[in-house]
Each structure stands twice: as structure tokens, then as C-alpha cells.
């Protein structure tokens, strides 16, 4: 099986290190690696974006690993999270979003626009 290696394109900054009651209220900044910031051209036209990020800290080991592919648990073979978030702004190399359920320092591996015709 292929051994895909992922390069972080950004890091999450929101100061959150413990799961809050409501992620929807949390605003996060995605700080792009300088070399990828050109890729943000015209992203600001979208209302929502998908963020693929990495679970970089350990999750609660007490929670049993059951039916992982039927769950959104961070404890999974490939520690990738996928969240649809509200796009607040794109300024320079910083993308500000609302509703991203990722802790501070999480690596971001991809950003894609939400497109109704594809994502319905
Ligand atoms: C249930 S997962 C869902 C993530 C994404 N929406 C998905 O469906 O793939 C979200 C939870 O993962 C945990 N989490 C967030 N960032 C993490 C990180 N960097 N490492 C480990 N756990 C993290 C938090 O407890 C957060 O509430």
C-alpha cells in the first residue's frame, strides 16, 4: 500500500487546547506557509470552505475504538479531520474561519471551497 506523505500547508491558531461546548462560536486563523499563500487567490469569494487537518495530539484512550469508519472520532488509522467551516476573511496568508473543531497548533493539510453542485 502506498505510503502517502502529507505536507502541512498551514497551522491552526485559536488558543483552544480543550474541547469547548460549542465549536461553532470559535474563530480560528489558518496561518499559511508562505510558499502556499498564492493558492488563496479568489478563495474569498466563497462562503464556506472544507478544511482537512491533522489530529496531532492524543485523544482520550478510554474511548474504545469501535466502528471507527462510522464515527468522527480523532482516534483513527489516519489522523485526518474534515470540517466544513464558515469563511470569515482571507487576508495576506491568513484565512479566518468560524466553526473549525481543531485544537490550536493542528496542522492543516488542505483547504477546498464548498461548491454546492459538487458538495450537495
Ligand atoms: C470529533 S472530531 C471531528 C473532526 C472533523 N469535524 C471530522 O469530522 O473529521 C473533533 C474533535 O477532535 C478533537 N480534536 C481537535 N483537534 C485535535 C487535535 N489536533 N488532536 C487531537 N484531537 C483533536 C476535539 O476534541 C474536537 O472536538
Amino acid at each position: 500500500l502506498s505510503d502517502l506523505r502529507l505536507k502541512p500547508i498551514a497551522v491552526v491558531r485559536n488558543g483552544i487546547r480543550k474541547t469547548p461546548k460549542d465549536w461553532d462560536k470559535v474563530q480560528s486563523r489558518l496561518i499559511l506557509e508562505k510558499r502556499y499563500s498564492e493558492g488563496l487567490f479568489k478563495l474569498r469569494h466563497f462562503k464556506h470552505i472544507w478544511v482537512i487537518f491533522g489530529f496531532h495530539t492524543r485523544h482520550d484512550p478510554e474511548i474504545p475504538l469501535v466502528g471507527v469508519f462510522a464515527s468522527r472520532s480523532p482516534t483513527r488509522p489516519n489522523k485526518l479531520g474534515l470540517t466544513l467551516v464558515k469563511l470569515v476573511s482571507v487576508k495576506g496568508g491568513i484565512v479566518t474561519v468560524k466553526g473549525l473543531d481543531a485544537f490550536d497548533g493542528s496542522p492543516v493539510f488542505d483547504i477546498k471551497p464548498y461548491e454546492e453542485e459538487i458538495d450537495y
Side-chain angles (χ1 to χ4, degrees):
L1 290 173
S2 77
D3 215 343
L4 181 64
R5 293 184 68 186
L6 302 176
K7 296 187 270 277
I9 58 143
V11 64
V12 175
R13 287 297 169 214
N14 56 19
I16 308 266
R17 289 181 175 81
K18 275 198 330 204
T19 308
K21 270 211 181 94
D22 190 0
W23 279 109
D24 284 349
K25 296 194 180 107
V26 173
Q27 198 151 295
S28 300
R29 287 178 309 139
L30 314 181
I31 315 291
L32 266 280
E33 291 278 333
K34 245 202 176 102
R35 64 183 181 284
Y36 296 123
S37 54
E38 268 184 19
L40 299 176
F41 184 53
K42 292 202 171 172
L43 182 72
R44 68 186 175 84
H45 296 301
F46 292 89
K47 286 201 168 100
H48 297 90
I49 59 172
W50 293 102
V51 177
I52 299 172
F53 65 96
F55 298 117
H56 73 312
T57 62
R58 282 199 60 199
H59 196 59
D60 186 352
E62 299 296 306
I63 299 172
L65 186 63
V66 180
V68 64
F69 301 121
S71 84
R72 310 301 291 233
S73 169
T75 308
R76 50 201 319 117
N78 293 305
K79 305 204 175 313
L80 294 175
L82 170 71
T83 306
L84 184 62
V85 300
K86 190 170 187 299
L87 182 59
V88 176
S89 67
V90 182
K91 282 188 194 131
I94 299 177
V95 179
T96 303
V97 299
K98 223 169 174 190
L100 179 63
D101 51 356
F103 291 148
D104 190 85
S106 299
V108 175
F109 295 113
D110 213 344
I111 292 171
K112 299 188 190 204
Y114 173 84
E115 296 194 66
E116 214 140 284
E117 316 83 71
I118 298 170
D119 289 306
Y120 73 94

